[in-house]
Amino acid sequence: MSSQRYAELAAFLRSRRDRIRPEDVGLVRGPRRRVPGLRRDEVALLAGASVDYYNELERGAGSQPSEQMLAALARALRLSRDERDHLFHLAERPVPRDVGAASHVHPGMLDLLMRLTSTPAQVITDLHVTLVQNPLAVALVGDETRHSGPDASLVHRWFTDPEARGHYPEEDHAGQTRALVADLRAAAARRDAKDTEAAALIADLLACSLEFAQAWAVHDVAFRRHDRKRLVHPSLGVLEVNCLNLVSEDGRQRLLWFTPAVGTDSADKLRLLEVVGSQQVSPQQ
């Protein structure tokens, strides 16, 4: 990156930081705040970056930010799609297509996610790639955003990684398989005929998983608009939860949140999530 691009990137980050109030992103405004918007350390916290690294960026120095870091900054700063694209241009990184973990998340959906402070919630794609989670979701299902490549999709992990299944009661595996495959077929059909992301995922699973191929051949189709499932948490045991979805206009993203199933002890267990935290590896969504 040239020194001019670094300077433009730094100025753009400062301008976007200044316009956001702490309460807009779930932070508490202290009595001695001297800046109109967020502080640098708060942006670093929201983006999962070190304070020193973010300070370097705003000084127009440091290493060229990665695509993952740019996506995290775009979400932390609640950038619109055009602003997100501009950020990538300034950093001389290719603007990501809306696939995978770098997908743009609408600021309004992010805002709603952050306001769900008493229930686990996360934004996922229609191919079950987790884009962002609130703290309770991390405590319940683990850090879903750490996966990359094909494994970013829960559907792919379900058929290729035995650990993904270990977080569900064994007697529920067959139902989960049917639901994931039916949902994938619905999502793939809704996408543009030129889409390659869903096609590549399906082709890979057909090649490496006989179980997936057999389930795919049944031709079941059904969007997972709501669901009731059991999750095995390493500290809290089995939780029975309702999984509810708010779907974006184009169907590509879903705000997924978990509520306790009526008639179970899951409400008490969900209240313990803040105590338990996410120090242990937890179940998948």
Side-chain angles (χ1 to χ4, degrees):
M1 289 176 59
S2 67
S3 58
Q4 179 181 353
R5 279 302 179 98
Y6 268 119
E8 291 177 354
L9 175 63
F12 183 65
L13 289 173
R14 286 193 298 270
S15 72
R16 301 305 89 181
R17 173 168 63 85
D18 287 345
R19 71 178 182 174
I20 300 177
R21 300 175 303 170
E23 51 268 31
D24 292 336
V25 291
L27 299 177
V28 178
R29 175 183 290 274
R32 297 183 179 179
R33 180 170 295 271
R34 294 180 295 175
V35 295
L38 296 179
R39 299 192 303 262
R40 289 179 178 179
D41 63 296
E42 291 171 331
V43 176
L45 173 66
L46 292 169
S50 72
V51 177
D52 288 342
Y53 178 75
Y54 185 76
N55 284 340
E56 286 291 299
L57 286 180
E58 281 212 13
R59 283 197 290 265
S63 60
Q64 181 186 21
S66 67
E67 295 178 23
Q68 292 79 7
M69 177 53 61
L70 292 170
L73 288 171
R75 293 167 189 165
L77 295 169
R78 301 299 192 266
L79 301 188
S80 68
R81 186 184 301 272
D82 290 340
E83 291 171 332
R84 187 280 307 261
D85 292 354
H86 182 63
L87 180 67
F88 273 77
H89 288 310
L90 290 177
E92 297 182 349
R93 294 290 189 184
V95 176
R97 296 178 299 124
D98 276 338
V99 299
S103 296
H104 177 261
V105 181
H106 192 284
M109 190 170 282
L110 274 176
D111 180 64
L112 182 55
L113 173 70
M114 296 308 299
R115 293 178 187 278
L116 294 173
T117 57
S118 61
T119 189
Q122 54 195 34
V123 178
I124 67 173
T125 73
D126 56 342
L127 302 184
H128 293 265
V129 175
T130 300
L131 303 177
V132 62
Q133 300 170 282
N134 70 7
L136 285 180
V138 176
L140 176 63
V141 301
D143 181 6
E144 295 279 290
T145 64
R146 72 186 188 278
H147 302 287
S148 60
D151 278 345
S153 168
L154 172 62
V155 183
H156 190 274
R157 297 196 306 277
W158 182 258
F159 292 100
T160 61
D161 181 2
E163 289 188 8
R165 300 191 175 208
H167 305 302
Y168 290 83
E170 186 173 356
E171 57 269 28
D172 296 350
H173 289 184
Q176 177 76 347
T177 292
R178 290 192 298 270
L180 284 172
V181 174
D183 187 75
L184 176 60
R185 184 178 289 279
R190 183 168 180 167
R191 289 192 170 209
D192 187 273
K194 297 180 180 179
D195 173 79
T196 59
E197 186 189 16
L201 174 62
I202 294 166
D204 184 56
L205 287 172
L206 287 172
C208 69
S209 172
L210 176 61
E211 181 187 11
F212 175 83
Q214 291 173 336
W216 189 253
V218 176
H219 287 269
D220 284 345
V221 55
F223 280 113
R224 297 187 80 166
R225 295 181 176 87
H226 53 80
D227 203 357
R228 181 164 172 164
K229 66 172 65 173
R230 296 188 297 167
L231 299 173
V232 181
H233 190 279
S235 300
L236 302 178
V238 177
L239 293 87
E240 191 162 355
V241 296
N242 299 309
C243 305
L244 307 170
N245 289 277
L246 176 65
V247 182
S248 63
E249 186 175 352
D250 63 2
R252 292 290 190 98
Q253 295 182 4
R254 311 170 187 181
L255 175 61
L256 167 67
W257 71 98
F258 304 86
T259 62
V262 176
T264 71
D265 62 353
S266 295
D268 293 333
K269 291 180 178 179
L270 285 175
R271 280 193 287 269
L272 290 173
L273 279 178
E274 291 187 63
V275 179
V276 172
S278 56
Q279 298 178 359
Q280 301 184 63
V281 178
S282 302
Q284 311 298 308
Q285 83 195 22

